């Protein structure tokens, strides 16, 4: 794919697909050629979108820097640590390596996402104005597409063993 004067190479696409493919294989799934083609098509579209957004954010001054990479990565690791049960640890670097990535690649990806999110939050979101009427109209027109909740059933029960007493 080509975005402006930047190209997404086959190697870049394969690098982006590797974590997904490895995860599916680790979970015992076999990927058929047609599934791989669909994954590749979807990943190409995501890479194109990400490149466009990253370029727009960078032009607005939201660039990826080594400082941002370290900041986002450290914050992420701190959040993981908070979520772990007391006394348990999680080797995120091991997971990264199992997916065929490096810490540097993950830091860069996280920082790219953060730069884009900051740009959207600071520059795009404040300019978007949606009236109640517009929101209601969108909901009405798209109810079945976006807002339909599938039917669910919830069941619960309590098991107990009756205690017999001798009178």
């Amino acid at each position: 794919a080509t975005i402006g004067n930047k190209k997404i190479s086959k190697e870049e696409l394969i690098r982006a697909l590797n974590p997904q493919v490895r995860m599916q294989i680790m979970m015992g799934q076999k990927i058929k050629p047609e599934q791989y083609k669909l994954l590749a098509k979807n990943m190409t579209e995501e890479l194109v979108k990400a490149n466009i957004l990253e370029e727009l954010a960078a032009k607005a001054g939201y660039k990826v820097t080594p400082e941002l990479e370290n900041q986002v990565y450290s914050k992420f690791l701190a959040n993981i640590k908070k979520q772990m049960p007391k006394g348990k640890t999680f080797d995120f670097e091991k997971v990264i390596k199992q997916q065929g990535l490096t810490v540097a690649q993950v830091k860069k990806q996280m920082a790219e996402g953060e730069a884009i999110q900051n740009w959207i939050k600071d520059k795009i979101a404040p300019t978007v104005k949606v009236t109640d009427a517009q929101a209601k109209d969108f909901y009405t027109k798209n109810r079945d597409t976006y807002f339909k909740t599938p039917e669910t059933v919830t069941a619960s029960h309590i098991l107990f063993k009756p205690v017999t007493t001798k009178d």
Side-chain angles (χ1 to χ4, degrees), residues 63-74 111:
K63 296 181 181 184
V64 174
T65 63
E67 294 80 19
L68 181 62
E69 289 179 6
N70 290 327
Q71 175 190 359
V72 172
Y73 188 72
S74 295

Side-chain angles (χ1 to χ4, degrees), residues 93-111:
E93 289 186 22
K94 181 180 176 184
V95 172
I96 290 171
K97 287 177 186 167
Q98 286 174 338
Q99 293 184 352
L101 298 170
T102 66
V103 172
Q105 288 171 319
V106 170
K107 282 182 174 183
K108 185 173 189 265
Q109 288 174 355
M110 289 179 164

Side-chain angles (χ1 to χ4, degrees), residues 1-163:
T2 304
I3 306 110
N5 60 0
K6 185 177 180 189
K7 293 185 186 272
I8 297 174
S9 67
K10 182 178 179 180
E11 291 76 25
E12 187 178 349
L13 175 61
I14 290 170
R15 248 192 331 273
L17 279 173
N18 265 343
Q20 287 183 352
V21 171
R22 285 179 186 230
M23 189 63 73
Q24 288 182 343
I25 290 170
M26 286 171 51
M27 293 169 47
Q29 297 176 0
K30 292 184 180 178
I31 302 174
K32 296 177 183 171
E34 60 272 9
Q35 290 171 308
Y36 193 80
K37 285 180 184 177
L38 181 61
L39 278 173
K41 178 184 178 293
N42 292 339
M43 182 58 73
T44 301
E45 290 172 3
E46 290 304 312
L47 288 171
V48 167
K49 290 176 194 174
N51 274 280
I52 290 169
L53 289 172
E54 186 182 339
E55 186 176 317
L56 291 170
K59 283 181 182 176
Y62 292 81
K63 296 181 181 184
V64 174
T65 63
E67 294 80 19
L68 181 62
E69 289 179 6
N70 290 327
Q71 175 190 359
V72 172
Y73 188 72
S74 295
K75 185 177 173 183
F76 175 78
L77 291 179
N79 284 336
I80 287 179
K81 190 175 180 179
K82 283 182 195 174
Q83 295 175 18
M84 293 301 297
K86 211 171 210 167
K88 298 283 183 182
T89 59
F90 180 72
D91 189 352
F92 185 64
E93 289 186 22
K94 181 180 176 184
V95 172
I96 290 171
K97 287 177 186 167
Q98 286 174 338
Q99 293 184 352
L101 298 170
T102 66
V103 172
Q105 288 171 319
V106 170
K107 282 182 174 183
K108 185 173 189 265
Q109 288 174 355
M110 289 179 164
E112 287 168 351
E114 184 77 7
I116 291 167
Q117 289 301 317
N118 289 339
W119 169 66
I120 290 171
K121 182 182 70 170
D122 295 345
K123 302 295 181 187
I124 304 300
T127 66
V128 177
K129 305 291 182 219
V130 179
T131 66
D132 288 344
Q134 289 170 320
K136 185 177 181 181
D137 183 52
F138 180 83
Y139 173 77
T140 303
K141 288 179 181 173
N142 297 286
R143 186 177 314 178
D144 291 338
T145 306
Y146 299 113
F147 304 104
K148 189 174 185 178
T149 304
E151 234 178 87
T152 61
V153 175
T154 303
S156 60
H157 58 278
I158 300 171
L159 298 175
F160 62 93
K161 183 178 180 181
V163 177

